Amino acid sequence: MNSKRLDAITPLTGTDLRLDYAFSGGFFEDADLAVEHRDDHLGARDLALCSGLDALRQAIANRLKTRRGELAALGHPNYGSRHHELIGQPNVQRTRDLINLYVLQALRAGPRVEKVLSATVVAEQNPPRDTVRIELTLQLIATPGPLDLVVPFSLGFGL
């Protein structure tokens, strides 16, 4: 996407603090605030920002990785997803269908998703173990094409 198009969607998508995730490959876990060096002679650092598609991707991942009700004390009781309630359940089709339902409910509650084009939850191994992969294709607000997003999720305890 060119910079003019990104400038046009930024007012709709917002700007947020950029998160630096501990793991790569779409594992949206153990996030910390990202920093960047300022262009001055002091070598100072500042918090990094993200906008456009990066802000959209990060916002959607945050919504799905947050347990619904976790932010109630901050005034957001319905933010997040309920699929975390399924931790400890067997990795069978019924559980994967419930994960899919809870993810769709969470995405519907978010202001940035115009339409869910596809959403599937698949077992990562055969035979299934604890981890599933949530595969999403989303039409986001103010974007010309769809966004593909894969969010891993573990049904195992303490993971």
Side-chain angles (χ1 to χ4, degrees):
M1 187 173 285
N2 66 35
S3 64
K4 284 184 183 182
R5 188 167 261 166
L6 278 176
D7 290 342
I9 68 169
T10 296
L12 300 171
T13 61
T15 299
D16 204 350
L17 294 172
R18 180 180 300 277
L19 296 177
D20 185 15
Y21 297 98
F23 304 106
S24 61
F27 282 89
F28 300 98
E29 301 287 342
D30 297 325
D32 201 354
L33 293 173
V35 296
E36 61 187 3
H37 293 282
R38 286 191 285 181
D39 292 333
D40 59 19
H41 300 293
L42 303 174
R45 297 184 306 169
D46 204 349
L47 293 175
L49 301 175
C50 66
S51 60
L53 287 176
D54 289 338
L56 286 169
R57 186 179 292 110
Q58 182 174 288
I60 291 165
N62 286 341
R63 182 173 290 276
L64 295 180
K65 297 305 280 189
T66 301
R67 290 182 163 111
R68 187 171 183 184
E70 189 174 346
L71 300 180
L74 299 174
H76 302 284
N78 297 320
Y79 181 87
S81 177
R82 292 182 53 207
H83 70 276
H84 304 280
E85 297 171 10
L86 300 170
I87 290 175
Q89 296 296 312
N91 189 351
V92 295
Q93 191 60 48
R94 177 188 173 280
T95 304
R96 293 189 293 271
D97 289 345
L98 281 171
I99 292 169
N100 200 23
L101 173 67
Y102 293 157
V103 164
L104 289 172
Q105 288 173 342
L107 292 173
R108 186 175 36 237
R112 294 173 173 98
V113 177
E114 185 175 303
K115 183 177 181 182
V116 177
L117 301 174
S118 74
T120 57
V121 178
V122 296
E124 290 226 301
Q125 296 92 11
N126 191 11
R129 295 191 185 148
D130 287 343
T131 305
V132 298
R133 194 173 59 241
I134 303 165
E135 300 174 346
L136 302 167
T137 302
L138 308 171
Q139 181 61 53
L140 304 174
I141 60 167
T143 59
L147 171 73
D148 293 322
L149 188 65
V150 176
V151 181
F153 175 66
S154 176
L155 291 161
F157 288 104
L159 298 175

